[in-house]
Amino acid sequence: MAYIKWIDSLSVGIELIDSQHKQMISCINELTDAMREGKALKEIDRIVEFLRDYANTHFAAEEELMAKYAYPAAQSHTNQHESFRREVAQVERELEAGVAPGLLCARVRKSLADWFASHINDTDRSLGRFIKMRQRSAAE
């Protein structure tokens, strides 16, 4: 399991969104550490709580920006957010049902890394480009 490093190419160009994405990278890397150190059981509750809070805070910020700038792909983008929220809720149910934390952590870590990379590289970057274009147009 490799760590995820923030590199400039991950930036969407919107400071708030980039800052929140960096928090997600930290969470994924903390989960990686917990798994390597055999502390998955101890950390999984905290990680899941972070993910639930992150989904609410980060997605609300993006959705507010989409509404403010009348982003034409808002529904598709929001649908991806809802999918992430459902996945976090599923992890919470599995945790409560007693699924082995090590297995759950491995699946969550892989899922987060995959989702994070594809969502930023496609969906969020498109949103960032659109907002920057609208901001430039408004400034002219």
Side-chain angles (χ1 to χ4, degrees):
M1 286 176 289
Y3 289 102
I4 299 174
K5 294 181 183 178
W6 180 263
I7 53 176
D8 289 339
S9 65
L10 291 174
S11 176
V12 298
I14 308 297
E15 186 176 333
L16 173 64
I17 294 173
D18 286 341
S19 173
Q20 291 172 338
H21 286 166
K22 289 175 185 176
Q23 291 173 346
M24 175 60 86
I25 287 174
S26 291
C27 176
I28 293 168
N29 290 337
E30 288 170 14
L31 183 54
T32 301
D33 281 340
M35 292 170 65
R36 284 182 176 163
E37 296 167 7
K39 297 179 181 176
L41 178 61
K42 180 179 175 185
E43 295 295 317
I44 189 66
D45 287 331
R46 186 182 61 76
I47 297 290
V48 170
E49 183 177 338
F50 168 83
L51 293 174
R52 184 180 52 250
D53 293 344
Y54 179 88
N56 291 330
T57 304
H58 175 65
F59 295 158
E62 284 188 358
E63 290 163 11
E64 185 177 307
L65 287 169
M66 287 187 276
K68 178 179 178 180
Y69 291 100
Y71 185 51
Q75 187 59 55
S76 172
H77 195 131
T78 300
N79 289 346
Q80 290 183 25
H81 292 171
E82 288 305 316
S83 176
F84 184 93
R85 287 180 177 112
R86 284 191 301 273
E87 188 169 340
V88 170
Q90 177 63 30
V91 168
E92 288 178 305
R93 286 189 296 275
E94 290 178 18
L95 190 57
E96 290 172 7
V99 172
L103 294 175
L104 196 54
C105 281
R107 194 183 90 229
V108 167
R109 199 253 178 232
K110 181 180 181 343
S111 178
L112 283 176
D114 292 348
W115 185 91
F116 185 75
S118 67
H119 188 76
I120 284 181
N121 285 327
D122 183 24
T123 309
D124 284 348
R125 290 178 100 186
S126 294
L127 173 61
R129 284 190 301 271
F130 181 83
I131 290 172
K132 300 285 269 179
M133 180 188 70
R134 292 290 302 264
Q135 289 173 335
R136 281 191 299 272
S137 295
E140 293 174 353

XYZ file of all heavy atoms in Angstrom, residues 15-76:
499
model
N -9.282 26.931 -3.815
C -8.554 26.729 -2.559
C -9.324 25.883 -1.549
O -8.767 24.964 -0.943
C -8.182 28.071 -1.940
C -7.297 27.945 -0.725
C -6.859 29.299 -0.194
O -6.789 30.265 -0.955
O -6.584 29.362 1.017
N -10.599 26.165 -1.353
C -11.400 25.416 -0.379
C -11.447 23.931 -0.739
O -11.229 23.065 0.107
C -12.821 25.983 -0.295
C -13.807 25.192 0.565
C -13.363 25.194 2.028
C -15.207 25.766 0.424
N -11.709 23.634 -1.990
C -11.798 22.242 -2.429
C -10.444 21.553 -2.304
O -10.346 20.432 -1.786
C -12.338 22.155 -3.874
C -13.789 22.643 -3.924
C -12.228 20.729 -4.415
C -14.364 22.760 -5.316
N -9.384 22.222 -2.737
C -8.047 21.625 -2.633
C -7.676 21.353 -1.178
O -7.121 20.301 -0.853
C -6.997 22.534 -3.281
C -7.070 22.517 -4.803
O -7.647 21.570 -5.378
O -6.542 23.461 -5.413
N -8.013 22.265 -0.291
C -7.720 22.083 1.130
C -8.447 20.859 1.683
O -7.874 20.056 2.425
C -8.130 23.343 1.898
O -8.013 23.145 3.275
N -9.692 20.708 1.308
C -10.460 19.562 1.780
C -9.954 18.265 1.165
O -9.936 17.225 1.827
C -11.948 19.774 1.483
C -12.535 20.884 2.331
C -13.952 21.251 1.923
O -14.391 20.997 0.809
N -14.671 21.867 2.847
N -9.520 18.308 -0.078
C -8.949 17.116 -0.702
C -7.665 16.700 0.027
O -7.403 15.504 0.193
C -8.650 17.361 -2.179
C -9.874 17.390 -3.028
N -9.865 17.873 -4.314
C -11.155 17.002 -2.788
C -11.087 17.767 -4.823
N -11.884 17.256 -3.919
N -6.887 17.662 0.457
C -5.666 17.347 1.214
C -6.022 16.648 2.530
O -5.288 15.751 2.976
C -4.858 18.611 1.478
C -4.204 19.158 0.219
C -3.511 20.496 0.491
C -2.957 21.099 -0.788
N -2.365 22.428 -0.567
N -7.136 17.036 3.156
C -7.582 16.366 4.382
C -7.920 14.904 4.099
O -7.611 14.021 4.901
C -8.804 17.065 4.967
C -8.531 18.428 5.530
C -9.812 19.145 5.938
O -10.919 18.752 5.581
N -9.665 20.222 6.697
N -8.547 14.656 2.957
C -8.888 13.280 2.586
C -7.622 12.458 2.365
O -7.540 11.308 2.786
C -9.753 13.251 1.334
C -10.054 11.852 0.824
S -10.921 10.789 1.983
C -12.598 11.265 1.610
N -6.633 13.044 1.720
C -5.368 12.332 1.523
C -4.762 11.973 2.878
O -4.289 10.849 3.074
C -4.385 13.174 0.677
C -4.845 13.191 -0.784
C -2.961 12.626 0.784
C -4.025 14.103 -1.681
N -4.797 12.892 3.815
C -4.276 12.605 5.159
C -5.025 11.440 5.796
O -4.417 10.562 6.412
C -4.388 13.841 6.057
O -3.508 14.839 5.633
N -6.330 11.427 5.637
C -7.137 10.341 6.196
C -6.764 9.001 5.566
O -6.595 8.004 6.271
C -8.621 10.643 5.980
S -9.709 9.320 6.532
N -6.628 8.973 4.266
C -6.262 7.729 3.578
C -4.892 7.253 4.057
O -4.685 6.069 4.315
C -6.284 7.924 2.048
C -7.717 8.179 1.565
C -5.682 6.712 1.338
C -7.807 8.662 0.130
N -3.960 8.190 4.215
C -2.622 7.822 4.673
C -2.633 7.368 6.132
O -1.886 6.455 6.511
C -1.641 8.966 4.443
C -1.348 9.168 2.971
O -1.513 8.255 2.153
N -0.940 10.366 2.603
N -3.482 7.955 6.963
C -3.618 7.505 8.352
C -4.185 6.091 8.399
O -3.758 5.264 9.208
C -4.518 8.457 9.140
C -3.877 9.791 9.438
C -4.853 10.803 10.012
O -5.961 10.412 10.438
O -4.504 11.993 10.035
N -5.134 5.816 7.536
C -5.694 4.470 7.449
C -4.620 3.480 7.002
O -4.508 2.379 7.542
C -6.881 4.457 6.488
C -7.635 3.149 6.311
C -8.108 2.578 7.635
C -8.810 3.354 5.362
N -3.797 3.882 6.055
C -2.681 3.044 5.599
C -1.743 2.736 6.762
O -1.347 1.583 6.970
C -1.919 3.745 4.454
O -2.824 3.989 3.380
C -0.752 2.903 3.964
N -1.401 3.769 7.539
C -0.540 3.570 8.713
C -1.172 2.603 9.708
O -0.496 1.705 10.223
C -0.268 4.905 9.426
C 0.783 5.743 8.744
O 1.585 5.204 7.954
O 0.808 6.973 9.002
N -2.449 2.810 9.997
C -3.143 1.952 10.971
C -3.102 0.498 10.526
O -2.888 -0.409 11.338
C -4.582 2.415 11.156
N -3.288 0.276 9.242
C -3.257 -1.092 8.730
C -1.861 -1.688 8.829
O -1.700 -2.843 9.223
C -3.766 -1.104 7.290
C -5.247 -0.770 7.183
S -5.791 -0.500 5.498
C -5.538 -2.132 4.808
N -0.857 -0.906 8.492
C 0.529 -1.395 8.555
C 0.945 -1.722 9.982
O 1.731 -2.627 10.222
C 1.483 -0.347 7.992
C 1.459 -0.272 6.499
C 2.450 0.729 5.984
N 2.437 0.679 4.525
C 2.930 1.617 3.749
N 3.501 2.674 4.267
N 2.860 1.492 2.441
N 0.422 -0.942 10.926
C 0.813 -1.100 12.322
C -0.110 -2.043 13.090
O 0.034 -2.199 14.298
C 0.839 0.279 12.997
C 1.883 1.208 12.404
C 1.710 2.660 12.841
O 0.858 2.938 13.716
O 2.427 3.517 12.291
N -1.071 -2.633 12.402
C -2.002 -3.543 13.056
C -2.966 -2.840 13.998
O -3.436 -3.429 14.968
N -3.270 -1.578 13.731
C -4.153 -0.792 14.601
C -5.487 -0.463 13.931
O -6.144 0.492 14.294
C -3.454 0.505 15.001
C -2.192 0.298 15.806
C -1.534 1.606 16.143
C -0.253 1.372 16.936
N 0.462 2.625 17.191
N -5.873 -1.291 12.980
C -7.107 -1.026 12.237
C -8.313 -0.965 13.166
O -9.150 -0.076 13.040
C -7.313 -2.086 11.165
N -8.396 -1.890 14.109
C -9.526 -1.923 15.024
C -9.630 -0.631 15.823
O -10.712 -0.077 16.007
C -9.394 -3.118 15.972
C -10.477 -3.262 17.026
C -11.845 -3.429 16.374
C -10.178 -4.450 17.933
N -8.483 -0.139 16.256
C -8.448 1.074 17.069
C -8.830 2.318 16.256
O -9.466 3.233 16.773
C -7.036 1.250 17.648
C -6.858 2.466 18.512
C -5.438 2.530 19.050
C -5.219 3.814 19.819
N -3.841 3.952 20.245
N -8.478 2.343 14.986
C -8.646 3.552 14.170
C -9.899 3.585 13.298
O -10.311 4.655 12.867
C -7.420 3.733 13.273
C -6.135 4.003 14.024
C -6.158 5.329 14.774
O -6.635 6.332 14.215
O -5.722 5.344 15.938
N -10.516 2.438 13.031
C -11.587 2.409 12.051
C -12.772 3.287 12.440
O -13.347 3.973 11.596
C -12.046 0.955 11.727
C -13.017 0.944 10.539
C -12.651 0.295 12.940
C -12.434 1.352 9.227
N -13.135 3.325 13.706
C -14.264 4.171 14.124
C -13.982 5.641 13.829
O -14.846 6.364 13.331
C -14.565 3.995 15.614
C -15.220 2.661 15.919
O -15.928 2.130 15.033
O -15.027 2.147 17.037
N -12.773 6.084 14.139
C -12.393 7.480 13.903
C -12.374 7.789 12.405
O -12.844 8.843 11.968
C -11.020 7.764 14.520
C -10.604 9.227 14.452
C -9.214 9.429 15.027
N -8.192 8.698 14.306
C -7.701 9.067 13.113
N -8.155 10.137 12.517
N -6.758 8.346 12.532
N -11.872 6.859 11.621
C -11.804 7.057 10.175
C -13.210 7.154 9.582
O -13.498 8.038 8.773
C -11.008 5.903 9.506
C -9.562 5.874 9.994
C -11.105 5.972 7.989
C -8.672 6.987 9.545
N -14.096 6.269 9.998
C -15.463 6.287 9.484
C -16.170 7.579 9.892
O -16.891 8.190 9.089
C -16.242 5.034 9.935
C -17.725 5.164 9.621
C -15.663 3.795 9.281
N -15.945 8.026 11.108
C -16.535 9.303 11.551
C -16.004 10.456 10.697
O -16.769 11.331 10.271
C -16.215 9.551 13.025
C -16.845 10.812 13.554
C -16.584 11.020 15.036
O -16.285 10.046 15.755
O -16.677 12.185 15.475
N -14.708 10.459 10.426
C -14.135 11.485 9.557
C -14.800 11.454 8.185
O -15.156 12.487 7.633
C -12.616 11.308 9.399
C -12.052 12.165 8.303
C -11.742 13.494 8.537
C -11.873 11.665 7.021
C -11.255 14.300 7.511
C -11.389 12.459 5.993
C -11.074 13.785 6.243
N -14.950 10.267 7.623
C -15.534 10.140 6.285
C -16.970 10.652 6.243
O -17.366 11.330 5.291
C -15.484 8.689 5.814
C -14.090 8.131 5.558
C -14.162 6.649 5.240
C -13.387 8.903 4.445
N -17.732 10.348 7.272
C -19.119 10.836 7.332
C -19.128 12.366 7.400
O -19.850 13.022 6.651
C -19.839 10.231 8.535
C -21.310 10.610 8.609
C -22.024 10.002 9.813
N -21.337 10.275 11.061
C -20.685 9.375 11.806
N -20.610 8.128 11.415
N -20.106 9.720 12.930
N -18.302 12.928 8.270
C -18.228 14.387 8.390
C -17.693 15.023 7.111
O -18.192 16.060 6.666
C -17.343 14.791 9.580
C -17.959 14.415 10.914
O -19.175 14.116 10.968
O -17.212 14.410 11.910
N -16.685 14.400 6.534
C -16.093 14.905 5.297
C -17.129 14.934 4.188
O -17.255 15.917 3.455
C -14.910 14.021 4.894
C -14.240 14.440 3.613
C -13.217 15.381 3.613
C -14.624 13.894 2.384
C -12.587 15.761 2.435
C -14.006 14.270 1.208
C -12.995 15.199 1.240
O -12.388 15.582 0.064
N -17.862 13.846 4.052
C -18.884 13.778 3.005
C -19.893 14.909 3.176
O -20.273 15.562 2.203
C -19.576 12.418 3.025
N -20.303 15.154 4.388
C -21.275 16.224 4.617
C -20.675 17.601 4.347
O -21.265 18.407 3.630
C -21.818 16.146 6.047
C -22.681 14.926 6.251
O -23.336 14.447 5.329
N -22.671 14.395 7.454
N -19.505 17.876 4.891
C -18.895 19.196 4.767
C -18.369 19.474 3.367
O -18.690 20.493 2.753
C -17.730 19.325 5.781
O -18.233 19.066 7.089
C -17.113 20.702 5.744
N -17.562 18.574 2.862
C -16.925 18.783 1.560
C -17.947 18.794 0.433
O -17.925 19.682 -0.420
C -15.869 17.697 1.308
C -15.249 17.767 -0.040
N -14.474 18.831 -0.449
C -15.309 16.910 -1.090
C -14.079 18.628 -1.694
N -14.573 17.474 -2.106
N -18.822 17.826 0.448
C -19.804 17.770 -0.636
C -20.756 18.951 -0.581
O -21.159 19.474 -1.624
C -20.563 16.447 -0.613
C -19.703 15.250 -0.887
C -20.100 13.998 -0.473
C -18.491 15.356 -1.563
C -19.321 12.874 -0.723
C -17.700 14.250 -1.822
C -18.125 13.012 -1.397
N -21.110 19.392 0.614
C -21.969 20.577 0.730
C -21.267 21.796 0.133
O -21.894 22.602 -0.565
C -22.336 20.827 2.188
N -19.960 21.921 0.376
C -19.199 23.055 -0.172
C -19.187 22.995 -1.695
O -19.412 24.018 -2.367
C -17.769 23.053 0.378
N -18.927 21.819 -2.247
C -18.925 21.688 -3.707
C -20.309 21.948 -4.284
O -20.453 22.642 -5.299
C -18.454 20.289 -4.121
C -16.970 20.094 -4.004
C -16.488 18.774 -4.592
O -17.300 17.962 -5.079
O -15.269 18.561 -4.563
N -21.324 21.411 -3.644
C -22.681 21.574 -4.150
C -23.140 23.030 -4.078
O -23.858 23.513 -4.957
C -23.625 20.617 -3.420
C -23.344 19.167 -3.817
C -23.911 18.116 -2.885
O -24.731 18.453 -2.001
O -23.534 16.934 -3.048
N -22.680 23.738 -3.068
C -22.976 25.172 -2.970
C -22.312 25.938 -4.117
O -22.922 26.814 -4.734
C -22.479 25.710 -1.624
C -22.835 27.152 -1.362
C -22.380 27.590 0.019
O -22.725 26.909 1.000
O -21.667 28.612 0.101
N -21.070 25.596 -4.417
C -20.377 26.229 -5.544
C -21.060 25.900 -6.872
O -21.189 26.764 -7.742
C -18.909 25.789 -5.586
C -18.000 26.384 -4.517
C -16.648 25.676 -4.498
C -17.825 27.873 -4.739
N -21.501 24.665 -7.016
C -22.189 24.285 -8.253
C -23.466 25.105 -8.437
O -23.761 25.560 -9.550
C -22.515 22.787 -8.253
C -21.286 21.918 -8.457
S -21.679 20.160 -8.673
C -21.812 19.617 -6.971
N -24.194 25.317 -7.356
C -25.424 26.113 -7.437
C -25.090 27.581 -7.719
O -25.719 28.215 -8.576
C -26.224 25.985 -6.144
N -24.085 28.097 -7.031
C -23.700 29.508 -7.191
C -23.314 29.829 -8.632
O -23.659 30.886 -9.161
C -22.536 29.828 -6.253
C -22.016 31.241 -6.371
C -20.875 31.497 -5.402
C -20.336 32.903 -5.557
N -19.233 33.157 -4.608
N -22.599 28.918 -9.260
C -22.096 29.164 -10.614
C -22.935 28.463 -11.698
O -22.540 28.448 -12.856
C -20.624 28.745 -10.721
C -19.734 29.654 -9.930
C -19.274 29.295 -8.665
C -19.368 30.908 -10.426
C -18.459 30.146 -7.930
C -18.554 31.762 -9.686
C -18.110 31.375 -8.447
O -17.305 32.218 -7.708
N -24.088 27.922 -11.315
C -24.989 27.244 -12.259
C -24.236 26.204 -13.103
O -24.286 26.211 -14.328
C -25.706 28.262 -13.143
N -23.557 25.323 -12.421
C -22.764 24.294 -13.082
C -23.677 23.323 -13.821
O -24.553 22.686 -13.218
C -21.926 23.559 -12.031
C -20.964 22.553 -12.575
C -20.069 22.875 -13.587
C -20.929 21.263 -12.061
C -19.168 21.948 -14.076
C -20.022 20.328 -12.530
C -19.142 20.684 -13.545
O -18.248 19.759 -14.022
N -23.502 23.171 -15.131
C -24.424 22.341 -15.909
C -24.360 20.843 -15.586
O -25.330 20.131 -15.811
C -24.024 22.605 -17.364
C -22.698 23.240 -17.321
C -22.532 23.865 -15.972
N -23.251 20.362 -15.065
C -23.120 18.938 -14.731
C -23.353 18.681 -13.241
O -22.929 17.657 -12.704
C -21.748 18.428 -15.150
N -24.067 19.584 -12.584
C -24.270 19.493 -11.132
C -24.954 18.187 -10.728
O -24.566 17.560 -9.740
C -25.055 20.690 -10.627
N -25.974 17.773 -11.453
C -26.709 16.567 -11.053
C -25.831 15.331 -11.101
O -25.822 14.522 -10.181
C -27.951 16.373 -11.923
C -28.839 15.239 -11.431
C -29.332 15.458 -10.007
O -29.924 16.489 -9.711
N -29.059 14.511 -9.124
N -25.062 15.184 -12.148
C -24.162 14.044 -12.267
C -23.118 14.058 -11.149
O -22.819 13.024 -10.546
C -23.477 14.079 -13.634
O -22.485 13.096 -13.709
